[in-house]
Amino acid sequence: MVDDAEATEPALPEPTDPTEVTEPTEAGPTGDGPTGDAPTGDAPTGAEPTEGGPRELSPSGAGPVVADLEHEGEIAADYLEGLLDILDLDGDLDLDVEGERASVAIVGEGLGNLVGPAGATLEALQELTRLAVLQQTGERSRLMLDIGGFRARRRADLERLAGEVAERVRTGGEPERLAPMSPFERKVVHDAIALTGGLVSESEGEEPQRRVVVRPA
């Protein structure tokens, strides 16, 4: 374990030639339509915009082929293993495919420093990991990183919050604005509201103050 009092901060492994790539972001562009984070078309309110350039789709045309997403996860796992070695931290890597994105989780104890306040360090590491994938595949990645179960716990809290907000809006008939959230958090709330019926949600504002608004349909 690194002694924070004596050791200098270790340098994180970086993808080759980072100046040649554009860092992907999860949030959509400013003014992304009347539904906030939702793309135009038939997507449900609050659906997350698709990132990156053209890539091979599954035979159904529904999204990237699973093999490509699994490959993204393997690249990410190699990058994160190097990071853990540099930091002298122990952690197991779990790879999965959730929907149309690769998912990687670092499981273990003593990983709080990799999560950071309100998950800020985790978000930064996720972007670095996506850049590592981009360097090797040439495709922008929507890979989701979790560390120490932080996102899983946060998802459960947000789904519970969305249920409470939905009940208040349904009862009072007035819109309710939530606190600013990250793109991941907003999508969790959008998805939860979409399941309640009779309500809609949209995002408003500019990052990092972008927030979800829930209102009657």
Side-chain angles (χ1 to χ4, degrees):
M1 184 68 66
V2 176
D3 187 342
D4 292 334
E6 298 179 3
T8 59
E9 183 177 355
L12 299 181
E14 298 182 355
T16 305
D17 298 328
T19 58
E20 296 182 2
V21 300
T22 301
E23 182 172 348
T25 59
E26 191 159 343
T30 302
D32 48 3
T35 56
D37 288 337
T40 57
D42 297 330
T45 300
E48 185 170 304
T50 301
E51 300 174 290
R55 66 189 305 166
E56 183 180 357
L57 300 181
S58 64
S60 65
V65 295
V66 173
D68 287 344
L69 297 178
E70 290 175 342
H71 183 51
E72 287 187 10
E74 292 168 357
I75 295 172
D78 289 341
Y79 177 77
L80 292 167
E81 283 177 354
L83 170 65
L84 292 174
D85 287 342
I86 288 174
L87 298 177
D88 193 24
L89 292 174
D90 293 326
D92 296 324
L93 293 171
D94 289 343
L95 311 184
D96 199 0
V97 172
E98 298 179 359
E100 296 182 8
R101 70 170 69 200
S103 173
V104 180
I106 304 178
V107 182
E109 301 296 330
L111 300 174
N113 288 338
L114 296 183
V115 175
T121 305
L122 168 58
E123 293 290 341
L125 290 175
Q126 176 174 274
E127 294 307 315
L128 286 173
T129 305
R130 289 177 172 182
L131 282 174
V133 174
L134 172 60
Q135 274 289 335
Q136 293 198 37
T137 66
E139 301 283 354
R140 291 188 181 184
S141 173
R142 298 176 61 242
L143 177 142
M144 183 68 70
L145 173 64
D146 194 6
I147 299 177
F150 174 83
R151 287 199 193 278
R153 292 190 298 273
R154 183 61 175 151
R155 182 186 297 275
D157 290 342
L158 289 169
E159 288 174 345
R160 183 165 50 251
L161 171 65
E164 295 170 354
V165 171
E167 184 61 28
R168 289 196 296 268
V169 173
R170 187 178 290 108
T171 301
E174 296 295 327
E176 183 166 336
R177 288 170 172 79
L178 281 64
M181 297 179 180
S182 70
F184 160 76
E185 293 171 329
R186 294 196 303 269
K187 185 178 186 306
V188 172
V189 174
H190 285 313
D191 290 347
I193 295 298
L195 296 175
T196 62
L199 302 174
V200 295
S201 63
E202 57 189 22
S203 293
E204 66 175 23
E206 304 292 336
E207 300 288 3
Q209 297 300 312
R210 197 160 170 79
R211 67 185 68 215
V212 174
V213 181
V214 180
R215 65 180 79 251

